[in-house]
Amino acid sequence: MNSRDNRSGSPSDFGPEIDAALETMSPAVRAAAIRSMTTGRGAALRNAMSRRSILRGSAMAGLAVAGGSLLAACSDDDDKKDSADDGGSGGAGQVVFSNWPLYIDVAEDDENKHPTLDAFTKETGIKVKYTEDINDNNEFYAKIQPQLASGDDTKRDLIVLTDWMASRLVRLQYVQKMDPANVPNAVKNLDPRFKGNTWDAKREYAYPWTQLSTLIAYNSKATEGYAPESVDDLLTNPKLKGKVALLTEMRDTVGMVLLSMGKKTESFTDDDFNAALAKIQKAVDSKQIRRFTGNDYVQELASGDIAACLAWSGDLIQLQADNPEVQFVIPKHGYATGTDELLIPTKAANKANAEKLIDYYYRPEVAAQLTLSINYVSPVVGVQPELLRMDPAIASNQLVMPSPETAAKANTFRALSEAEETKYEEAFAKVIGV
Amino acid sequence: MSKQGRDAGRVELTGLSKRFGGFTAVRPTDLTIPEGSFFALLGASGCGKTTTLRMIAGLEAPSTGRVLIGGQDVTGLPPHKRPVNTVFQSYALFPHLSVADNVAFGLRRKGRKDVAQPVKEMLELVELGHLGGRKPAQLSGGQQQRVAVARALINHPQVLLLDEPLGALDLKLRRQMQLELKRIQTEVGITFVHVTHDQEEAMTMADTIAVMNGGVIEQLGSPTELYESPKTAFVANFLGQSNMLPAAVLGRQGDDLALDVHGVRMTLPASRAVPGSSGSSRIVMGIRPEKITLGKAEPDDAHRNMLRGIVSEASFIGVSTEYRVRIAEGSELVVFSQNRDDERPRVGDEVVLHWNPRHGFGLDAGQDLDAGTGEDAL
Amino acid sequence: MTTPAKTSDAADAAEAAGPKHAGADGRPEPSGPARALRAITGELRRMPYLLLLPGIAWLIFFFLVPLYFQAKMSVSSGTLDKGFDLTWTWSTFSAAFEDYDEHFLRSLYYAGAATILCLVLAYPLAYTIAFRAGRWRSLLLVLVVAPFFTSFLVRTLAWKTILSDNGTVVGFLNTLHITDVTATLGLTEGDRVLATPLAVVTGLTYNFLPFMILPLYASLERIDPRLHEAARDLYASPASTFRRVTLPLSMPGVVAGTLLTFIPASGDYINAQLLGTTRETMIGNVIQSEYLRVRDYPTAAAMSFVLMAVILVIVTVYIRRAGTEDLV
């Protein structure tokens, strides 16, 4: 557990790496990047480069561990800066909010300032202690699990974890039930799509922060105009041989294959899972699959080394801005989605303030501001009109504001028991060579 | 080393010079070092003596001129193809090899397989027979020095080059090694070219010394010759100590020059003055401190050169006393006087200095009389 | 002219003074000042141990303690949710060997290949910097470490661009049919270099090259240039001088460099993850996956130990050999 110990308490900030990456871009690409920053999509760009989505994949999270502990300069100070220092009136108390890096809006002139949080403090007097110290679900869980298990305060009032991990915390009763009276906006504005799920049927424990989708992306130049339509095309079409990448994230890759087989990710069996794995294994053995990637597919997809792959929606907006030949496909069998969930750990000292903050982010105008900045699908009803007003282009982008037909094709992965999780991850690990 | 003919060990330098960028280390030099001689290149640091040696070894390419060894032109040959070996300053022994392997290095490179016997013999010669298995770092300075000599000599070079070989040793050991090296040279009979800044060492060991200064050889000769008849102020000062007396040439009296030194008439054999200087009106007369007799009364022999003065300093050194005697305003002579008399002059005493005119030497007046003294002499 | 004598006089004086100082320690009944002196020298004696403290503390907290927990974890069983209990389950070790022997071998093979490549590339470079660079020496040394100014991750990602299928490097190799040769040897795949063993070994070589250059440079730089001259003077040709003098004297650097390259390279997983495929995964990838994906901490810990043990054995054998073999 050496590597974990090294990490604990030191959220790495990949700032210098982003800068370095910017340095290595061609002038045209850099211009596009800077352009996108000035229209408020800087976060999305930086996401695409290395942050939020790179870290969804657990394999890549390990890289973050290595990058963080070995080389990247950790700028704890910046991250831990109390975002609402100047606005606080003291009496209303505070709320400690742990989130993933670059997963919130930033002021155009100062990336350590978060306008929505500042507005919240101004309005309520509640200080927000905002920390970007979640880089990986498993890793963060390992960090707070001892306190949760022994019934201690984690010193955090609000955390954001991906649905499957959130389901575990709910199952183990490591999180507090929210009082619907304290979150009226959330109750009212939560998109019906997210209302019922297998692990929190009545939405008592968690509210989504954003939705994450896995789609098919391809480089039209590399495929010579051919557009793959389905996961089957990726796995078997000889035109793509040796130029296909799948994701190292088990739920995303297996989920997409399950869907292509006509199975439901909400309700599949062991046999279905094994059949999906066998299908992937066959594609690996025939060398149809080039690699399994974390978010590092971005570079190769842009260069054409990867002709087609599974990709995360959060990466695609920026990727398309830089590379017009990059296209995405929403497979007719549907696509895999997940959510990142807001949770209040047990023993959190400021539960009421945390609820206020959740409720605040379920106001359409606030949610729209967040969406505009980070480009992830919002779970809040009423965001679209707000977005249309702010930026019509974004409002009509299927990746950010999916149409009802698109949204209907979204499938979530069912909650797994710990035993299942271990079994499936182990089997999947064998397929991806580890 | 007679297998390659009588003059295999002769070193000839013709017009040899070396420039490093804008700095001239060695000015064009002609020099012949006879076969079988123990030859010393003596001079202060930076005088070009080591550069000259390195050009003979092939470690430095000359800017102009040629190097001939045993009549063969080796100017273009790399060091490993020249019939010479070097004993380096601080020895440059291979630290990863044993003493025996260090000594055997050259033979092995020449393809000899049966090196055990010659190595043993060579180590015996330098009296290190029992230390063959050690690493250089386990030896004392003197022992390392002998290994360095053995490592070079075992190859039977036509010429052995020694670059300050004793510089790292303490005084006692240096004396011992001087005799040792001399013994070895006599025994093996090959040409030794020895670079040193230590005049005593050069005089003890060498048959012939070349005194170098500023990239040129100032004077070449036997130790006695150099000491008794220096031709420049530098040589006079660098080898031993000299008193320098500026003098006006009054004229010639037979074989002698008549001089005026501080208003006193003196003589100097014309043959003891450097050629050319005897014709000019001014000259510098040199006299070694130990040649001067210091007394209270004038000498009986009226032919001796004589000066009067007052003792300003007297330092007792054991075998002798070193006096400084003021002979005129701002002019002092150094006198070494053996402590034979019971009653020795004291500071403030008025004394008479006198010496045999044949012991004086005449130098060109147009030079720096302090050349070769003080710090720069090292 | 008298100065040589003076220096040796000074040396004699120092030598004479030396034993007197030493003698002060051994006296039986010390007077006041002597006791004070002894107290001071005692203080000075303890000094080195005091200076060691930070290092020892560091080792205890950041090496021994984690190592202990790691060891305990490797023979524990349980799950992350319910916690792990010490059950002295040794099967994790056999599993580590049986299931992942291929990954172990591959790691050693890639790390070994990268180490050899590093040595081949680094030696001439270090030699040039040490003996031929003149006033460029400092600049060249800065350039050697310059890659460290960017992160490991970004540096490795850069190789995706360098070795891109449509890039100039691969195009050049294809034109010369070098990729045909490497493909036959199983080092590359078809016309591509990226996502092949060659790419992984290239990445490892690149990333660890400075760890080879710097110790080599340090050991070469310490060699007295006069030893080269002495060798030349003793009939050694330039090649023979290198083989008999330079190389043996630089062996400490070669040993240090190969260790500094081989050890981290055999545990590396970033290069295999970013530049390889499922067929190039190394043991580091497996350990990382066991920790973060499968969450089987005991197996991951056991594999870490096995890796540590394997490397330790290899290193010990290597050092023994390098240390005892007759270098000439």
Side-chain angles (χ1 to χ4, degrees):
Chain A
M1 264 137 300
N2 258 335
S3 59
R4 310 184 75 79
D5 289 348
N6 285 345
R7 278 280 309 120
S8 61
S10 62
S12 65
D13 182 350
F14 280 140
E17 283 157 46
I18 307 298
D19 296 342
L22 276 172
E23 289 300 315
T24 58
M25 287 177 175
S26 69
V29 174
R30 192 159 54 222
I34 291 164
R35 202 163 53 240
S36 66
M37 277 179 174
T38 51
T39 54
R41 273 174 247 158
L45 159 84
R46 295 178 60 176
N47 265 338
M49 292 317 298
S50 81
R51 290 260 190 153
R52 177 64 187 100
S53 42
I54 203 172
L55 299 161
R56 271 203 85 200
S58 54
M60 291 308 293
L63 300 186
V65 174
S69 55
L70 282 175
L71 301 148
C74 297
S75 53
D76 284 18
D77 297 347
D78 288 353
D79 284 351
K80 288 195 171 150
K81 201 174 284 170
D82 187 345
S83 304
D85 250 349
D86 21 18
S89 64
Q94 62 162 5
V95 55
V96 183
F97 185 8
S98 277
N99 202 349
W100 299 68
L102 287 176
Y103 211 26
I104 198 164
D105 57 320
V106 291
E108 272 180 34
D109 53 341
D110 181 358
E111 60 179 69
N112 293 315
K113 278 204 161 84
H114 309 295
T116 54
L117 288 179
D118 290 346
F120 174 74
T121 302
K122 205 171 170 191
E123 185 183 308
T124 61
I126 300 167
K127 281 191 189 180
V128 184
K129 223 174 149 192
Y130 185 73
T131 314
E132 297 180 334
D133 62 350
I134 306 178
N135 282 314
D136 175 69
N137 284 301
N138 281 314
E139 196 193 318
F140 186 73
Y141 175 68
K143 190 156 127 187
I144 61 169
Q145 194 262 352
Q147 286 105 296
L148 294 170
S150 59
D152 292 332
D153 184 4
T154 59
K155 308 275 191 239
R156 290 172 178 84
D157 302 313
L158 197 56
I159 57 176
V160 177
L161 290 172
T162 307
D163 47 14
W164 53 269
M165 181 56 82
S167 75
R168 176 184 301 176
L169 267 71
V170 171
R171 188 179 74 226
L172 294 168
Q173 298 194 314
Y174 285 163
V175 294
Q176 301 191 46
K177 205 184 247 189
M178 292 176 212
D179 183 347
N182 293 341
V183 287
N185 282 317
V187 171
K188 184 176 72 180
N189 293 336
L190 176 66
D191 193 305
R193 286 186 277 143
F194 301 102
K195 265 187 180 144
N197 66 38
T198 52
W199 47 274
D200 185 13
K202 288 188 262 171
R203 279 287 176 199
E204 293 170 305
Y205 294 97
Y207 277 96
W209 177 253
T210 54
Q211 184 189 35
L212 313 147
S213 305
T214 306
L215 306 167
I216 292 172
Y218 65 96
N219 182 321
S220 59
K221 208 166 132 199
T223 62
E224 289 160 346
Y226 164 72
E229 286 169 11
S230 65
V231 173
D232 276 350
D233 283 341
L234 297 191
L235 296 183
T236 56
N237 194 317
K239 277 186 195 159
L240 302 173
K241 187 169 180 202
K243 288 193 168 278
V244 174
L246 302 180
L247 295 165
T248 49
E249 191 70 352
M250 182 268 285
R251 284 176 178 78
D252 294 332
T253 294
V254 177
M256 289 295 273
V257 175
L258 280 171
L259 291 171
S260 76
M261 294 161 67
K263 305 292 180 190
K264 286 283 163 207
T265 48
E266 284 89 347
S267 58
F268 62 89
T269 63
D270 273 6
D271 288 344
D272 297 337
F273 184 88
N274 291 337
L277 268 195
K279 207 169 161 183
I280 300 168
Q281 183 69 58
K282 204 173 149 202
V284 169
D285 292 343
S286 68
K287 299 194 175 172
Q288 173 82 2
I289 307 297
R290 184 185 177 104
R291 307 178 47 224
F292 285 83
T293 69
N295 131 294
D296 55 311
Y297 69 84
V298 168
Q299 206 181 351
E300 283 161 278
L301 183 61
S303 71
D305 289 345
I306 290 174
C309 64
L310 295 182
W312 285 310
S313 59
D315 294 332
L316 286 171
I317 291 179
Q318 187 56 45
L319 201 50
Q320 286 189 307
D322 293 340
N323 306 277
E325 60 271 20
V326 171
Q327 308 285 331
F328 68 90
V329 176
I330 295 167
K332 63 175 190 288
H333 293 293
Y335 61 97
T337 60
T339 48
D340 277 341
E341 300 278 339
L342 291 154
L343 302 160
I344 304 175
T346 50
K347 304 283 179 185
N350 306 294
K351 178 179 179 249
N353 288 349
E355 287 171 335
K356 271 187 194 144
L357 190 59
I358 292 171
D359 198 50
Y360 171 74
Y361 275 105
Y362 268 83
R363 294 182 196 171
E365 69 275 14
V366 179
Q369 211 177 330
L370 182 69
T371 304
L372 195 59
S373 187
I374 64 174
N375 293 165
Y376 281 94
V377 174
S378 174
V380 179
V381 171
V383 162
Q384 190 167 28
E386 295 286 339
L387 271 185
L388 265 175
R389 198 164 51 75
M390 295 170 172
D391 186 341
I394 281 290
S396 61
N397 190 317
Q398 286 291 295
L399 294 168
V400 179
M401 211 63 250
S403 65
E405 304 83 67
T406 305
K409 288 184 184 169
N411 292 272
T412 54
F413 209 84
R414 74 172 165 86
L416 302 176
S417 71
E418 193 183 19
E420 273 181 317
E421 170 125 25
T422 305
K423 185 172 63 185
Y424 290 162
E425 287 285 12
E426 217 162 4
F428 183 68
K430 289 272 189 290
V431 173
I432 66 171
V434 292
Chain B
M1 291 300 80
S2 53
K3 62 176 175 184
Q4 294 176 41
R6 263 174 48 76
D7 283 334
R10 188 175 65 203
V11 179
E12 291 158 272
L13 312 180
T14 54
L16 196 70
S17 78
K18 179 68 185 177
R19 276 188 308 277
F20 294 104
F23 172 72
T24 305
V26 178
R27 292 177 194 283
T29 298
D30 295 306
L31 177 67
T32 299
I33 300 167
E35 149 95 29
S37 65
F38 197 128
F39 188 92
L41 274 168
L42 176 66
S45 64
C47 72
K49 59 187 191 298
T50 295
T51 308
T52 306
L53 190 82
R54 289 170 62 82
M55 288 192 283
I56 300 172
L59 298 169
E60 214 76 72
S63 303
T64 64
R66 320 212 62 78
V67 176
L68 281 77
I69 294 169
Q72 188 204 351
D73 189 341
V74 298
T75 317
L77 291 183
H80 63 283
K81 294 194 173 151
R82 295 191 184 198
V84 301
N85 287 111
T86 310
V87 176
F88 287 86
Q89 191 172 11
S90 67
Y91 326 131
L93 297 180
F94 303 119
H96 58 297
L97 301 181
S98 69
V99 166
D101 285 332
N102 260 285
V103 175
F105 193 92
L107 289 184
R108 289 208 171 110
R109 297 294 83 72
K110 287 200 285 190
R112 283 275 300 268
K113 296 278 179 243
D114 51 332
V115 295
Q117 192 54 30
V119 166
K120 189 165 167 276
E121 281 168 19
M122 190 47 70
L123 285 174
E124 297 292 340
L125 177 71
V126 296
E127 295 166 356
L128 289 176
H130 55 302
L131 296 178
R134 297 220 186 149
K135 286 281 170 72
Q138 296 167 301
L139 303 185
S140 72
Q143 290 168 331
Q144 291 185 21
Q145 207 276 334
R146 286 186 233 193
V147 176
V149 172
R151 183 176 72 170
L153 277 182
I154 195 169
N155 306 299
H156 299 303
Q158 284 161 242
V159 180
L160 182 73
L161 307 172
L162 302 107
D163 184 6
E164 300 270 8
L166 307 176
L169 303 180
D170 67 36
L171 184 60
K172 232 169 139 183
L173 200 50
R174 196 159 62 224
R175 290 262 161 76
Q176 193 189 323
M177 287 307 301
Q178 285 169 3
L179 300 174
E180 189 89 347
L181 277 178
K182 187 71 192 163
R183 173 182 70 83
I184 291 169
Q185 198 262 339
T186 318
E187 227 161 281
V188 298
I190 60 176
T191 313
F192 275 35
V193 181
H194 179 187
V195 157
T196 181
H197 67 268
D198 183 343
Q199 47 100 10
E200 214 181 296
E201 187 175 303
M203 292 205 282
T204 314
M205 299 164 76
D207 320 325
T208 313
I209 299 174
V211 180
M212 284 192 81
N213 184 31
V216 296
I217 295 175
E218 292 224 347
Q219 193 175 348
L220 179 80
S222 70
T224 331
E225 215 173 310
L226 291 178
Y227 188 81
E228 300 292 351
S229 312
K231 294 281 190 282
T232 64
F234 179 83
V235 176
N237 289 324
F238 198 75
L239 276 86
Q241 241 177 311
S242 294
N243 292 299
M244 300 290 193
L245 297 163
V249 180
L250 301 174
R252 230 181 137 114
Q253 287 182 336
D255 289 339
D256 295 340
L257 292 176
L259 306 173
D260 176 345
V261 179
H262 291 296
V264 180
R265 232 182 118 85
M266 293 192 183
T267 55
L268 175 74
S271 60
R272 303 237 346 120
V274 287
S277 68
S278 56
S280 66
S281 63
R282 294 208 65 81
I283 197 171
V284 170
M285 184 173 71
I287 180 76
R288 298 284 186 187
E290 74 278 10
K291 309 280 190 193
I292 302 173
T293 308
L294 185 145
K296 295 217 160 113
E298 291 190 15
D300 300 337
D301 184 354
H303 294 292
R304 289 176 77 88
N305 289 332
M306 190 191 78
L307 281 169
R308 288 176 186 280
I310 294 167
V311 176
S312 60
E313 246 183 86
S315 328
F316 178 73
I317 333 178
V319 294
S320 65
T321 301
E322 180 183 333
Y323 295 97
R324 283 180 176 273
V325 180
R326 187 169 332 126
I327 51 163
E329 200 52 49
S331 186
E332 281 187 337
L333 288 194
V334 179
V335 179
F336 295 154
S337 179
Q338 293 210 323
N339 297 323
R340 275 183 309 227
D341 303 329
D342 293 337
E343 204 179 319
R344 293 192 286 268
R346 296 171 192 199
V347 174
D349 286 1
E350 198 172 308
V351 289
V352 175
L353 309 175
H354 52 89
W355 63 90
N356 184 340
R358 311 205 144 273
H359 289 156
F361 49 86
L363 305 175
D364 198 326
Q367 60 183 317
D368 176 11
L369 297 183
D370 291 330
T373 62
E375 288 297 302
D376 66 320
L378 301 172
Chain C
M1 300 138 278
T2 51
T3 303
K6 271 183 204 147
T7 37
S8 61
D9 283 348
D12 286 348
E15 212 175 323
K20 274 178 216 147
H21 284 302
D25 276 338
R27 298 224 175 104
E29 17 47 278
S31 58
R35 202 180 303 130
L37 184 69
R38 192 145 82 166
I40 291 167
T41 50
E43 197 69 17
L44 288 174
R45 288 244 176 90
R46 278 194 290 278
M47 207 49 180
Y49 299 103
L50 289 175
L51 290 173
L52 270 178
L53 268 184
I56 290 173
W58 196 91
L59 268 181
I60 288 174
F61 289 115
F62 296 104
F63 182 68
L64 288 182
V65 171
L67 201 67
Y68 164 74
F69 283 116
Q70 192 85 322
K72 202 173 135 189
M73 182 59 81
S74 70
V75 288
S76 296
S77 56
T79 65
L80 191 55
D81 284 352
K82 300 186 184 74
F84 296 96
D85 300 311
L86 187 61
T87 53
W88 298 103
T89 309
W90 294 93
S91 59
T92 47
F93 282 89
S94 52
F97 264 123
E98 281 159 20
D99 296 354
Y100 299 105
D101 54 336
E102 194 189 331
H103 295 83
F104 273 112
L105 288 176
R106 195 184 287 142
S107 295
L108 300 180
Y109 164 50
Y110 287 174
T115 305
I116 291 166
L117 273 175
C118 277
L119 187 60
V120 169
L121 291 172
Y123 207 106
L125 203 58
Y127 187 92
T128 308
I129 298 174
F131 296 120
R132 301 283 159 83
R135 65 204 171 92
W136 300 104
R137 184 188 279 201
S138 306
L139 178 72
L140 289 172
L141 282 176
V142 169
L143 289 179
V144 166
V145 294
F148 287 134
F149 291 117
T150 61
S151 91
F152 197 88
L153 208 54
V154 169
R155 275 185 280 147
T156 311
L157 284 169
W159 278 91
K160 288 197 183 201
T161 311
I162 296 169
L163 296 178
S164 173
D165 297 5
N166 309 313
T168 42
V169 174
V170 174
F172 180 71
L173 294 177
N174 282 336
T175 313
L176 295 182
H177 298 285
I178 291 172
T179 41
D180 295 346
V181 179
T182 52
T184 316
L185 294 171
L187 295 174
T188 56
E189 182 87 42
D191 278 351
R192 75 170 198 239
V193 174
L194 213 53
T196 65
L198 185 64
V200 178
V201 172
T202 304
L204 287 171
T205 305
Y206 163 76
N207 276 313
F208 293 106
L209 191 59
F211 295 113
M212 183 66 91
I213 295 176
L214 293 178
L216 272 179
Y217 166 77
S219 72
L220 284 169
E221 197 260 348
R222 273 188 11 225
I223 298 177
D224 186 343
R226 272 176 308 196
L227 294 179
H228 292 162
E229 295 186 340
R232 301 296 307 283
D233 187 70
L234 292 165
Y235 313 113
S237 63
S240 172
T241 299
F242 175 76
R243 206 156 63 87
R244 302 295 175 183
V245 178
T246 315
L247 186 61
L249 285 174
S250 66
M251 275 317 278
V254 173
V255 172
T258 46
L259 292 183
L260 281 177
T261 309
F262 181 80
I263 295 173
S266 50
D268 182 81
Y269 60 93
I270 292 182
N271 287 282
Q273 165 68 30
L274 296 180
L275 304 174
T277 70
T278 57
R279 287 172 289 277
E280 280 88 43
T281 45
M282 294 166 70
I283 196 65
N285 301 81
V286 177
I287 294 173
Q288 187 246 15
S289 163
E290 287 294 320
Y291 265 122
L292 291 178
R293 178 183 302 282
V294 185
R295 288 179 290 267
D296 184 353
Y297 287 13
T299 302
M303 278 198 286
S304 302
F305 266 100
V306 171
L307 178 62
M308 217 185 296
V310 169
I311 290 175
L312 213 59
V313 168
I314 291 172
V315 166
T316 311
V317 170
Y318 175 66
I319 291 179
R320 281 268 171 87
R321 277 199 57 112
T324 54
E325 104 190 341
D326 191 4
L327 294 167
V328 170

Short mmCIF file of all heavy atoms in Angstrom, two decimals, chain A residues 85-101:
data_model
loop_
_atom_site.label_atom_id
_atom_site.label_comp_id
_atom_site.label_asym_id
_atom_site.label_seq_id
_atom_site.Cartn_x
_atom_site.Cartn_y
_atom_site.Cartn_z
N ASP A 85 -13.92 32.71 0.91
CA ASP A 85 -13.35 33.41 2.05
C ASP A 85 -13.95 34.78 2.31
O ASP A 85 -14.42 35.08 3.38
CB ASP A 85 -11.83 33.59 1.82
CG ASP A 85 -11.06 32.72 2.78
OD1 ASP A 85 -11.70 32.17 3.70
OD2 ASP A 85 -9.85 32.57 2.61
N ASP A 86 -13.95 35.58 1.21
CA ASP A 86 -14.33 36.98 1.40
C ASP A 86 -15.84 37.17 1.62
O ASP A 86 -16.25 38.16 2.20
CB ASP A 86 -13.84 37.84 0.23
CG ASP A 86 -13.57 37.04 -1.00
OD1 ASP A 86 -14.08 35.89 -1.05
OD2 ASP A 86 -12.88 37.51 -1.89
N GLY A 87 -16.62 36.23 1.12
CA GLY A 87 -18.06 36.41 1.21
C GLY A 87 -18.68 35.93 2.52
O GLY A 87 -19.83 36.20 2.82
N GLY A 88 -17.91 35.21 3.30
CA GLY A 88 -18.50 34.57 4.48
C GLY A 88 -18.88 35.55 5.57
O GLY A 88 -18.16 36.49 5.87
N SER A 89 -20.03 35.33 6.19
CA SER A 89 -20.41 36.20 7.29
C SER A 89 -20.18 35.53 8.64
O SER A 89 -20.40 36.08 9.68
CB SER A 89 -21.89 36.59 7.16
OG SER A 89 -22.68 35.42 7.28
N GLY A 90 -19.74 34.26 8.57
CA GLY A 90 -19.32 33.61 9.81
C GLY A 90 -20.45 32.89 10.52
O GLY A 90 -20.36 31.70 10.77
N GLY A 91 -21.54 33.54 10.75
CA GLY A 91 -22.60 32.98 11.57
C GLY A 91 -23.25 31.74 10.99
O GLY A 91 -23.65 30.85 11.73
N ALA A 92 -23.32 31.67 9.65
CA ALA A 92 -24.05 30.58 9.02
C ALA A 92 -23.24 29.30 8.92
O ALA A 92 -23.73 28.30 8.44
CB ALA A 92 -24.53 31.00 7.64
N GLY A 93 -22.01 29.33 9.36
CA GLY A 93 -21.21 28.12 9.35
C GLY A 93 -20.60 27.84 7.99
O GLY A 93 -20.47 28.73 7.16
N GLN A 94 -20.22 26.58 7.79
CA GLN A 94 -19.50 26.23 6.56
C GLN A 94 -19.95 24.88 6.05
O GLN A 94 -20.71 24.16 6.71
CB GLN A 94 -18.00 26.21 6.84
CG GLN A 94 -17.62 25.17 7.87
CD GLN A 94 -16.13 24.83 7.83
OE1 GLN A 94 -15.38 25.44 7.10
NE2 GLN A 94 -15.74 23.86 8.61
N VAL A 95 -19.45 24.54 4.87
CA VAL A 95 -19.67 23.21 4.32
C VAL A 95 -18.39 22.79 3.61
O VAL A 95 -17.78 23.57 2.89
CB VAL A 95 -20.90 23.17 3.38
CG1 VAL A 95 -20.80 24.20 2.27
CG2 VAL A 95 -21.10 21.77 2.82
N VAL A 96 -17.95 21.55 3.91
CA VAL A 96 -16.71 21.05 3.32
C VAL A 96 -17.08 20.14 2.16
O VAL A 96 -17.76 19.14 2.33
CB VAL A 96 -15.87 20.29 4.35
CG1 VAL A 96 -14.54 19.85 3.74
CG2 VAL A 96 -15.63 21.15 5.58
N PHE A 97 -16.64 20.53 0.96
CA PHE A 97 -17.08 19.90 -0.28
C PHE A 97 -15.86 19.31 -1.00
O PHE A 97 -14.96 20.03 -1.40
CB PHE A 97 -17.77 20.98 -1.14
CG PHE A 97 -18.39 20.50 -2.42
CD1 PHE A 97 -18.49 19.16 -2.75
CD2 PHE A 97 -18.91 21.44 -3.32
CE1 PHE A 97 -19.09 18.76 -3.93
CE2 PHE A 97 -19.50 21.05 -4.51
CZ PHE A 97 -19.59 19.69 -4.81
N SER A 98 -15.84 17.98 -1.13
CA SER A 98 -14.75 17.32 -1.86
C SER A 98 -15.24 16.90 -3.23
O SER A 98 -16.27 16.23 -3.34
CB SER A 98 -14.28 16.06 -1.11
OG SER A 98 -13.37 16.43 -0.12
N ASN A 99 -14.48 17.28 -4.27
CA ASN A 99 -14.91 16.96 -5.63
C ASN A 99 -13.70 16.54 -6.46
O ASN A 99 -12.57 16.56 -5.99
CB ASN A 99 -15.58 18.20 -6.23
CG ASN A 99 -16.51 17.85 -7.39
OD1 ASN A 99 -16.51 16.73 -7.88
ND2 ASN A 99 -17.31 18.83 -7.80
N TRP A 100 -13.97 16.11 -7.70
CA TRP A 100 -12.90 15.75 -8.62
C TRP A 100 -12.26 17.02 -9.16
O TRP A 100 -12.92 18.06 -9.22
CB TRP A 100 -13.46 14.93 -9.79
CG TRP A 100 -14.08 13.65 -9.39
CD1 TRP A 100 -15.23 13.50 -8.68
CD2 TRP A 100 -13.61 12.34 -9.66
NE1 TRP A 100 -15.51 12.17 -8.49
CE2 TRP A 100 -14.53 11.43 -9.09
CE3 TRP A 100 -12.50 11.83 -10.32
CZ2 TRP A 100 -14.36 10.05 -9.17
CZ3 TRP A 100 -12.35 10.45 -10.41
CH2 TRP A 100 -13.25 9.58 -9.84
N PRO A 101 -11.04 16.93 -9.59
CA PRO A 101 -10.40 18.13 -10.15
C PRO A 101 -11.15 18.63 -11.38
O PRO A 101 -11.66 17.83 -12.18
CB PRO A 101 -9.01 17.64 -10.54
CG PRO A 101 -8.78 16.43 -9.70
CD PRO A 101 -10.12 15.81 -9.52
#
